Amino acid sequence: MIFYSCFIVLVEFLLGGYKFDGRRLSERISILAIIIISLVTFFRFDIGFDYASYFKYVSDDKIPSMELLFLEPSARIFIEFSRIIDFPPALIMIYGAISIVFTSSAIIKNSENIPLSVIVFLGLFYLSTICFIRQGAALGIILFSYPYLKNNQFWKFFICCAFAVLLHYSAILVLIVYPLYTCFSYRKLGLILLISLPTILIALKSLPILFPWLPYVSYFTTSENLTGGNMAKYVFLLLNLTGLLLSWKTKDSEIIKFFEIAMIGSFFPFSLGGHIGGRIGWYFMIFICIALPNLLKRYPLWYSRLCNAAMVACFLGTIYVSSLSPGKKQYTPFQTIFEVDLKHPVFKE
């Protein structure tokens, strides 16, 4: 916890180059915050749910070829490259670089309050992106598509989705977002929101019966005892509901629709469980990294400060709750690749 507390304090300090009303004071200093986040992402060791598996994809020649066959073609290319240079952390670094580059680019180009967008990303999504490595990279590209969705640029949005699918097959679900955003007014989308919960529940529960051959469809069955994210779903629901109410007050139809879509994403964890449902919901909710700070620009400064404090609490709270787990602790203690023997690594159990 000490490391992460120092980390978030340092990032906050460096982001002080911007005031939270969006006024730029020192852009170069603020960019250092993104560099710090990148260094933690690249050089961590055994931090995150999938880290050990990805490390072994490169270091263990006995990994069954059939196991690799179910990965995306891009993953197999990245694994082969990491094997050629004989450096297992390279695989994690590649996905981390994709996530950080696209996420930071999206925030810098589209957010009206860059520091708050960075903190929202850290509080709500960053820890998940380092846990679920391929999907984290896909989410970065989806966030990059924000202006194309907002401006109804279908082909650019589709290309972003296609690249995201190459990183994680589940990213194809984000294609649903485009017609929701572009084909309906915010009032009609609100009506869809009211009827979406039972529809989503029925549709997803039917997938294993109707399309058993689809990738990952076995995760939708009760036989998969996957848990996690059970507290986070309430945080997302409360945040998205608050954002929706605040956006309705501004009458900004674009921001309202982003929060209505985020609310639809909030339903997935309640219908499929916090783990699988949460991971699906991220594709609908990732846009709030930009939409929420842009919304709060229309309110007094203390709204942004309160949101900033809440996101820091989410970040540290997630790590603290994880540290109490009787099983493998995903984030603690923090280690770097420089502290271990990469030829004979010892992973947490």
Side-chain angles (χ1 to χ4, degrees):
M1 283 297 296
I2 295 176
F3 170 82
Y4 292 104
S5 298
C6 294
F7 166 74
I8 196 69
V9 168
L10 178 59
V11 170
E12 284 274 22
F13 174 77
L14 293 173
L15 288 174
Y18 290 85
K19 287 187 177 180
F20 277 113
D21 61 359
R23 179 184 172 192
R24 298 195 175 196
L25 296 178
S26 177
E27 183 174 355
R28 291 181 180 179
I29 293 177
S30 296
I31 289 176
L32 287 176
I34 296 176
I35 295 175
I36 295 297
I37 296 170
S38 301
L39 293 176
V40 170
T41 304
F42 296 160
F43 298 119
R44 73 190 192 276
F45 176 79
D46 200 14
I47 301 296
F49 186 80
D50 286 342
Y51 191 98
S53 298
Y54 281 67
F55 194 100
K56 292 174 183 177
Y57 283 153
V58 180
S59 63
D60 189 353
D61 294 332
K62 297 179 181 179
I63 294 290
S65 57
M66 285 300 296
E67 183 175 340
L68 298 179
L69 188 62
F70 284 100
L71 297 176
E72 298 79 10
S74 62
R76 297 198 292 272
I77 293 173
F78 296 155
I79 290 170
E80 188 60 33
F81 171 78
S82 301
R83 285 178 173 177
I84 290 173
I85 64 174
D86 193 25
F87 188 56
L91 179 61
I92 290 91
M93 291 179 178
I94 291 170
Y95 282 110
I98 294 172
S99 176
I100 294 297
V101 167
F102 280 96
T103 299
S104 58
S105 178
I107 287 173
I108 290 171
K109 290 180 180 179
N110 300 288
S111 177
E112 297 175 24
N113 191 336
I114 294 173
L116 188 55
S117 283
V118 173
I119 296 300
V120 170
F121 171 71
L122 287 177
L124 298 179
F125 297 101
Y126 175 70
L127 293 174
S128 298
T129 64
I130 63 176
C131 256
F132 307 106
I133 297 172
R134 297 185 346 267
Q135 189 173 8
L139 282 171
I141 297 179
I142 297 304
L143 183 60
F144 186 79
S145 72
Y146 177 94
Y148 309 134
L149 177 61
K150 180 181 177 181
N151 298 319
N152 299 348
Q153 296 174 302
F154 172 75
W155 286 111
K156 290 183 179 180
F157 180 80
F158 178 81
I159 290 172
C160 286
C161 292
F163 277 111
V165 170
L166 291 177
L167 296 172
H168 202 278
Y169 289 134
S170 66
I172 197 170
L173 293 170
V174 84
L175 288 174
I176 302 171
V177 171
Y178 190 85
L180 288 176
Y181 186 87
T182 60
C183 298
F184 300 97
S185 67
Y186 68 89
R187 290 185 176 86
K188 290 182 179 178
L189 188 55
L191 180 61
I192 292 175
L193 178 62
L194 293 175
I195 64 174
S196 62
L197 178 56
T199 304
I200 289 171
L201 179 60
I202 294 171
L204 292 177
K205 292 298 184 182
S206 301
L207 275 178
I209 300 173
L210 300 177
F211 305 102
W213 45 269
L214 286 175
Y216 306 106
V217 78
S218 63
Y219 293 160
F220 299 157
T221 67
T222 55
S223 62
E224 293 287 345
N225 186 27
L226 296 174
T227 59
N230 291 321
M231 295 181 65
K233 64 185 179 183
Y234 296 105
V235 174
F236 276 111
L237 179 62
L238 178 61
L239 176 67
N240 292 331
L241 182 59
T242 302
L244 182 59
L245 294 175
L246 290 175
S247 62
W248 270 83
K249 188 176 179 180
T250 66
K251 303 299 182 182
D252 187 323
S253 61
E254 292 180 346
I255 292 182
I256 291 173
K257 286 196 286 185
F258 275 116
F259 277 100
E260 287 175 335
I261 289 170
M263 278 298 296
I264 293 174
S266 299
F267 291 152
F268 287 97
F270 291 94
S271 59
L272 292 175
H275 181 83
I276 296 301
R279 293 179 67 174
I280 293 174
W282 294 338
Y283 291 118
F284 295 78
M285 297 187 286
I286 186 65
F287 300 106
I288 65 175
C289 290
I290 296 172
L292 180 58
N294 289 357
L295 167 65
L296 295 182
K297 279 283 290 182
R298 292 149 177 79
Y299 283 87
L301 180 59
W302 69 267
Y303 279 77
S304 294
R305 289 175 174 168
L306 181 61
C307 178
N308 177 76
M311 293 300 103
V312 172
C314 284
F315 178 80
L316 294 176
T318 300
I319 296 167
Y320 176 72
V321 171
S322 174
S323 70
L324 300 177
S325 171
K328 180 179 179 179
K329 295 172 175 56
Q330 302 300 324
Y331 310 113
T332 55
F334 185 85
Q335 289 180 290
T336 69
I337 60 175
F338 307 112
E339 300 175 68
V340 298
D341 180 359
L342 295 179
K343 295 297 183 181
H344 306 92
V346 178
F347 298 100
K348 291 177 285 188
E349 297 182 357

Coordinates of all heavy atoms in Angstrom, one line a residue, residues 8 12 20 115-125 127 235-236 238-240 288-289 292-293 296 303-318:
I8 N 0.3 7.4 -6.3 CA -0.9 8.3 -6.6 C -0.6 9.7 -6.2 O -1.0 10.7 -6.8 CB -2.2 7.7 -6.0 CG1 -3.4 8.4 -6.6 CG2 -2.2 7.9 -4.5 CD1 -3.6 8.0 -8.1
E12 N -0.6 12.8 -8.7 CA -1.4 14.0 -8.4 C -0.5 15.3 -8.4 O -0.9 16.3 -8.9 CB -2.0 13.9 -7.1 CG -3.2 12.9 -7.1 CD -4.5 13.6 -7.4 OE1 -4.5 14.7 -8.1 OE2 -5.6 13.1 -7.1
F20 N -7.5 22.1 -11.9 CA -8.7 21.3 -12.2 C -9.8 22.0 -12.9 O -10.8 21.4 -13.2 CB -9.2 20.6 -10.9 CG -8.4 19.4 -10.6 CD1 -7.6 19.4 -9.4 CD2 -8.4 18.3 -11.4 CE1 -6.8 18.3 -9.2 CE2 -7.6 17.2 -11.1 CZ -6.8 17.2 -10.0
P115 N -6.1 16.4 -16.3 CA -5.7 15.8 -15.1 C -6.8 14.9 -14.5 O -6.6 13.8 -14.0 CB -5.4 17.0 -14.1 CG -5.1 18.1 -15.0 CD -6.0 17.9 -16.3
L116 N -8.1 15.4 -14.5 CA -9.2 14.7 -14.0 C -9.4 13.4 -14.8 O -9.7 12.3 -14.2 CB -10.4 15.5 -13.9 CG -11.6 14.9 -13.1 CD1 -11.2 14.4 -11.7 CD2 -12.8 15.8 -13.1
S117 N -9.3 13.5 -16.1 CA -9.4 12.3 -16.9 C -8.4 11.2 -16.6 O -8.7 10.0 -16.5 CB -9.3 12.7 -18.4 OG -10.5 13.3 -18.9
V118 N -7.2 11.6 -16.4 CA -6.1 10.7 -16.0 C -6.5 10.0 -14.6 O -6.4 8.8 -14.5 CB -4.8 11.4 -15.9 CG1 -3.7 10.4 -15.3 CG2 -4.3 11.9 -17.2
I119 N -7.0 10.8 -13.7 CA -7.3 10.3 -12.4 C -8.5 9.4 -12.5 O -8.6 8.3 -11.8 CB -7.6 11.4 -11.4 CG1 -6.3 12.2 -11.1 CG2 -8.1 10.9 -10.0 CD1 -5.1 11.4 -10.6
V120 N -9.5 9.7 -13.3 CA -10.7 8.8 -13.5 C -10.2 7.5 -14.1 O -10.7 6.4 -13.6 CB -11.7 9.5 -14.4 CG1 -12.8 8.5 -14.8 CG2 -12.4 10.7 -13.7
F121 N -9.3 7.6 -15.0 CA -8.8 6.3 -15.6 C -8.1 5.5 -14.6 O -8.3 4.3 -14.5 CB -7.9 6.7 -16.8 CG -7.1 5.5 -17.3 CD1 -7.8 4.5 -18.0 CD2 -5.8 5.3 -17.1 CE1 -7.1 3.4 -18.5 CE2 -5.1 4.2 -17.6 CZ -5.8 3.2 -18.3
L122 N -7.3 6.1 -13.8 CA -6.5 5.4 -12.7 C -7.5 4.8 -11.7 O -7.3 3.6 -11.3 CB -5.6 6.3 -12.0 CG -4.3 6.7 -12.8 CD1 -3.5 7.7 -11.9 CD2 -3.5 5.5 -13.1
G123 N -8.5 5.6 -11.3 CA -9.4 5.1 -10.3 C -10.3 4.0 -10.7 O -10.7 3.1 -9.9
L124 N -10.8 4.0 -12.0 CA -11.8 3.1 -12.4 C -11.3 2.0 -13.3 O -11.9 0.9 -13.3 CB -12.9 3.8 -13.2 CG -13.7 4.9 -12.4 CD1 -14.7 5.6 -13.3 CD2 -14.3 4.3 -11.1
F125 N -10.2 2.2 -14.1 CA -9.9 1.2 -15.1 C -8.4 0.8 -15.1 O -8.1 -0.3 -15.6 CB -10.2 1.8 -16.5 CG -11.6 2.1 -16.8 CD1 -12.1 3.4 -16.7 CD2 -12.5 1.1 -17.1 CE1 -13.5 3.7 -16.9 CE2 -13.9 1.3 -17.3 CZ -14.3 2.6 -17.2
L127 N -6.2 -0.3 -12.9 CA -5.9 -1.6 -12.2 C -6.4 -2.8 -13.0 O -5.9 -3.9 -13.0 CB -6.4 -1.6 -10.8 CG -5.7 -0.6 -9.9 CD1 -6.3 -0.5 -8.5 CD2 -4.2 -0.9 -9.7
V235 N -20.0 0.6 -7.3 CA -19.3 1.9 -7.5 C -19.6 2.4 -8.9 O -20.0 3.6 -9.1 CB -17.8 1.7 -7.4 CG1 -17.0 3.0 -7.8 CG2 -17.4 1.3 -6.0
F236 N -19.5 1.6 -10.0 CA -19.8 2.0 -11.3 C -21.3 2.4 -11.4 O -21.6 3.4 -12.1 CB -19.5 0.9 -12.3 CG -18.1 0.8 -12.7 CD1 -17.3 -0.2 -12.3 CD2 -17.6 1.8 -13.5 CE1 -16.0 -0.3 -12.7 CE2 -16.2 1.8 -14.0 CZ -15.4 0.7 -13.5
L238 N -23.3 3.6 -9.1 CA -23.6 4.9 -8.4 C -22.9 6.0 -9.2 O -23.6 7.1 -9.4 CB -22.9 4.8 -7.0 CG -23.0 6.1 -6.2 CD1 -24.5 6.5 -6.0 CD2 -22.3 5.9 -4.9
L239 N -21.7 5.8 -9.7 CA -21.1 6.9 -10.5 C -21.8 7.2 -11.8 O -22.0 8.4 -12.1 CB -19.6 6.5 -10.8 CG -18.8 7.4 -11.7 CD1 -18.6 8.7 -10.9 CD2 -17.5 6.8 -12.1
N240 N -22.2 6.2 -12.5 CA -22.9 6.4 -13.8 C -24.3 7.0 -13.6 O -24.7 7.9 -14.4 CB -23.1 5.1 -14.5 CG -21.7 4.5 -15.0 OD1 -20.8 5.3 -15.3 ND2 -21.6 3.2 -15.1
I288 N -16.5 7.2 -20.1 CA -16.7 8.2 -19.1 C -15.3 8.8 -18.6 O -15.3 9.8 -17.9 CB -17.4 7.6 -17.9 CG1 -16.6 6.5 -17.2 CG2 -18.8 7.1 -18.3 CD1 -17.3 5.9 -15.9
C289 N -14.2 8.2 -19.0 CA -12.9 8.8 -18.7 C -12.8 10.2 -19.3 O -12.1 11.0 -18.8 CB -11.8 7.9 -19.2 SG -11.5 6.4 -18.3
L292 N -17.0 12.3 -18.2 CA -17.2 12.8 -16.9 C -16.5 14.1 -16.6 O -17.1 15.0 -16.2 CB -16.8 11.7 -15.8 CG -17.0 12.1 -14.4 CD1 -18.4 12.5 -14.1 CD2 -16.5 10.9 -13.5
P293 N -15.2 14.2 -16.9 CA -14.5 15.5 -16.7 C -15.1 16.6 -17.6 O -15.2 17.7 -17.1 CB -13.0 15.1 -17.1 CG -12.9 13.7 -16.8 CD -14.2 13.1 -17.2
L296 N -18.2 17.8 -15.8 CA -17.9 18.6 -14.6 C -17.4 19.9 -14.9 O -17.4 20.8 -14.0 CB -17.0 17.8 -13.7 CG -17.6 16.5 -13.1 CD1 -16.6 15.8 -12.2 CD2 -18.9 16.7 -12.4
Y303 N -17.0 20.4 -7.7 CA -17.4 19.1 -8.2 C -16.2 18.3 -8.7 O -16.1 17.1 -8.5 CB -18.4 19.3 -9.4 CG -19.8 19.7 -8.9 CD1 -20.2 20.9 -8.5 CD2 -20.8 18.7 -9.0 CE1 -21.5 21.2 -8.1 CE2 -22.1 19.0 -8.6 CZ -22.4 20.3 -8.2 OH -23.7 20.5 -7.8
S304 N -15.3 18.9 -9.5 CA -14.2 18.3 -10.0 C -13.3 17.8 -8.9 O -12.7 16.7 -8.9 CB -13.4 19.2 -11.0 OG -14.2 19.5 -12.1
R305 N -13.1 18.6 -7.9 CA -12.2 18.3 -6.8 C -12.8 17.1 -6.0 O -12.1 16.2 -5.6 CB -12.0 19.5 -5.8 CG -11.2 20.5 -6.5 CD -11.1 21.8 -5.6 NE -10.1 22.7 -6.2 CZ -10.0 24.0 -5.8 NH1 -10.8 24.5 -4.8 NH2 -9.1 24.8 -6.3
L306 N -14.1 17.1 -5.8 CA -14.8 16.0 -5.1 C -14.6 14.7 -5.9 O -14.3 13.6 -5.4 CB -16.2 16.3 -4.9 CG -17.1 15.2 -4.2 CD1 -16.5 15.0 -2.8 CD2 -18.5 15.7 -4.1
C307 N -14.8 14.8 -7.2 CA -14.6 13.6 -8.1 C -13.2 13.1 -8.0 O -12.9 11.9 -8.0 CB -15.0 14.0 -9.6 SG -14.8 12.7 -10.8
N308 N -12.2 14.0 -8.1 CA -10.8 13.7 -8.0 C -10.6 12.9 -6.7 O -9.9 11.8 -6.7 CB -9.9 14.9 -8.0 CG -8.5 14.6 -7.8 OD1 -7.8 14.2 -8.7 ND2 -7.9 14.9 -6.6
A309 N -11.1 13.4 -5.6 CA -10.9 12.7 -4.3 C -11.5 11.3 -4.3 O -11.0 10.3 -3.8 CB -11.4 13.5 -3.1
A310 N -12.7 11.2 -4.9 CA -13.4 9.9 -5.0 C -12.6 8.9 -5.8 O -12.6 7.7 -5.5 CB -14.8 10.1 -5.6
M311 N -12.0 9.4 -6.9 CA -11.3 8.4 -7.8 C -10.0 7.9 -7.1 O -9.6 6.8 -7.2 CB -10.9 9.1 -9.1 CG -12.1 9.5 -10.0 SD -13.0 8.0 -10.5 CE -14.4 8.1 -9.4
V312 N -9.3 8.8 -6.3 CA -8.2 8.4 -5.6 C -8.6 7.4 -4.5 O -7.9 6.3 -4.3 CB -7.5 9.6 -4.9 CG1 -6.4 9.1 -3.9 CG2 -6.9 10.5 -5.9
A313 N -9.7 7.6 -3.9 CA -10.2 6.6 -2.9 C -10.5 5.3 -3.6 O -10.3 4.2 -3.0 CB -11.5 7.2 -2.2
C314 N -11.1 5.3 -4.8 CA -11.4 4.1 -5.5 C -10.1 3.3 -5.8 O -10.0 2.1 -5.7 CB -12.1 4.4 -6.8 SG -13.9 4.8 -6.6
F315 N -9.1 4.0 -6.3 CA -7.8 3.4 -6.6 C -7.2 2.7 -5.4 O -6.9 1.5 -5.5 CB -6.9 4.5 -7.2 CG -5.5 4.0 -7.5 CD1 -5.2 3.4 -8.7 CD2 -4.4 4.2 -6.6 CE1 -4.0 2.9 -9.0 CE2 -3.1 3.7 -7.0 CZ -2.9 3.1 -8.2
L316 N -7.0 3.5 -4.3 CA -6.4 2.9 -3.1 C -7.3 1.9 -2.5 O -6.9 0.9 -1.9 CB -6.1 4.0 -2.1 CG -5.0 5.0 -2.6 CD1 -4.8 6.1 -1.5 CD2 -3.7 4.3 -2.8
G317 N -8.7 2.1 -2.5 CA -9.6 1.1 -1.9 C -9.6 -0.2 -2.6 O -9.6 -1.3 -2.0
T318 N -9.4 -0.2 -4.0 CA -9.3 -1.4 -4.7 C -8.1 -2.3 -4.3 O -8.2 -3.5 -4.1 CB -9.3 -1.2 -6.3 OG1 -10.5 -0.4 -6.6 CG2 -9.2 -2.4 -7.1

